[in-house]
Amino acid sequence: MKFNINDALNVRYIKLHFTLCFPEDCILPVSKASAIRGGMGEMLLRANCIRNRECEVCDFQGECIVQRTMYSRFDNKPDFIITGDSVGYVVECEDYREVFKRGDTLKFNLLLFGKTIVYFNQYFQALYALGQNGIGRSHAKFLIVQVKNTKGQAILEDSNIYMKYYQVETLQNYVDYRMKQIEQRGYPDKMVFCTPLTQKFHGEFLEEFCMEAINKSIQRRLYMLNCFENNDIQEFYYEELPIPMIIQQSVREIK
């Protein structure tokens, strides 16, 4: 069976927009996405682990809520996957500030794919517990003041959760939405990476933008997500797309 881009976009996901508020002055890590991921995992382990974190020999591993949320397994694992990392969720944060004053807010996104979508309450409770315990070396405490969906509807507001706004979409929905945005804004020839990108191609880290590398990376990611969903997709490289000419680019190293 050949890789079909339309079939490949039939991957379920949900994107949640979180707003946190800090009740006291604090210092946060530059990479908040990593801190949030690590903090959620720690909170889930504290609340659920019954075998002293000895995962390799745990007789409850198949039912472990931490494994199902933070390390959710592929239903159809690609041959090239050799690590235990999950593609079931992504944390996004474009705020690189370190100093936060009392009352300041932080926004970040949590994307859940496939079967991890049903574990919203586990992620939410882990984030709530992280706020009580504190994040980063300074153990900065926070409150979750709002969670919205991609349409701006409040899933969490004033301590109430409205699951009717917890709306599952597909990657096809997202592509259609982004294409419409491009048409409305009138710059179909521009690509902007809002967060730092590290890209490896032919064994070397790229020092400038390479469309061929990005194209193949996207296809591989799509294949992985379809394997995670157990969709019947056999080949993840379809016929080469025409690669546009790069007229101008601006790249800077993030240290």
Side-chain angles (χ1 to χ4, degrees):
M1 180 183 293
K2 292 293 184 181
F3 182 90
N4 184 288
I5 188 62
N6 294 321
D7 292 339
L9 293 175
N10 190 30
V11 172
R12 299 167 297 173
Y13 86 100
I14 190 165
K15 186 172 185 177
L16 306 171
H17 303 272
F18 280 78
T19 301
L20 312 180
C21 181
F22 298 91
E24 302 293 341
D25 296 354
C26 59
I27 304 294
L28 294 182
V30 174
S31 178
K32 295 167 187 64
S34 296
I36 290 169
R37 280 196 304 268
M40 284 197 304
E42 175 63 24
M43 294 303 107
L44 283 164
L45 283 167
R46 291 185 188 182
N48 297 284
C49 182
I50 60 174
R51 291 297 193 211
N52 298 317
R53 308 193 183 195
E54 297 178 358
C55 301
E56 296 300 323
V57 295
C58 180
D59 50 328
F60 291 103
Q61 189 174 134
E63 303 303 324
C64 177
I65 199 67
V66 184
Q67 293 289 332
R68 290 181 178 231
T69 52
M70 304 303 288
Y71 306 102
S72 190
R73 297 177 179 176
F74 284 91
D75 284 326
N76 176 22
K77 188 175 182 179
D79 294 337
F80 56 80
I81 297 294
I82 58 175
T83 66
D85 294 340
S86 172
V87 296
Y89 72 100
V90 174
V91 178
E92 300 177 333
C93 184
E94 299 177 20
D95 192 330
Y96 302 106
R97 291 177 295 163
E98 295 182 77
V99 178
F100 283 75
K101 298 295 184 181
R102 178 180 179 181
D104 282 352
T105 59
L106 171 71
K107 297 181 184 295
F108 75 92
N109 301 324
L110 175 64
L111 287 86
L112 304 178
F113 294 94
K115 54 196 172 185
T116 61
I117 292 171
V118 301
Y119 295 112
F120 166 69
N121 187 59
Q122 296 296 328
Y123 291 104
F124 181 81
Q125 292 299 327
L127 284 165
Y128 174 81
L130 181 59
Q132 299 298 302
N133 284 267
I135 189 173
R137 292 182 179 179
S138 63
H139 300 287
K141 293 179 170 54
F142 61 81
L143 301 172
I144 305 173
V145 295
Q146 197 170 64
V147 181
K148 290 186 175 182
N149 63 21
T150 53
K151 297 177 182 177
Q153 298 164 316
I155 297 170
L156 170 73
E157 192 169 44
D158 298 328
S159 300
N160 295 312
I161 292 180
Y162 303 97
M163 289 303 290
K164 64 180 180 179
Y165 296 131
Y166 191 72
Q167 298 170 353
V168 181
E169 302 183 73
T170 67
L171 293 184
Q172 184 66 65
N173 298 146
Y174 177 74
V175 169
D176 293 341
Y177 167 72
R178 293 294 290 162
M179 292 301 294
K180 187 175 294 185
Q181 273 194 323
I182 288 173
E183 292 176 7
Q184 292 173 346
R185 294 178 182 179
Y187 48 81
D189 57 346
K190 183 181 292 186
M191 181 179 291
V192 179
F193 288 86
C194 298
T195 58
L197 169 70
T198 300
Q199 179 70 45
K200 206 169 186 180
F201 191 50
H202 294 324
E204 301 289 338
F205 285 105
L206 298 180
E207 295 184 1
E208 62 180 19
F209 184 82
C210 174
M211 192 62 216
E212 181 184 2
I214 299 297
N215 180 34
K216 290 187 175 180
S217 178
I218 290 172
Q219 291 186 57
R220 172 175 274 205
R221 184 70 175 183
L222 275 175
Y223 177 61
M224 290 169 63
L225 287 170
N226 276 278
C227 287
F228 186 69
E229 284 269 55
N230 203 23
N231 292 338
D232 189 17
I233 300 260
Q234 302 299 321
E235 298 180 16
F236 59 90
Y237 290 139
Y238 59 101
E239 62 183 30
E240 290 295 332
L241 295 175
I243 299 176
M245 181 183 298
I246 299 174
I247 305 299
Q248 183 181 14
Q249 65 173 291
S250 175
V251 180
R252 65 185 179 91
E253 184 179 356
I254 303 294
K255 296 182 179 180

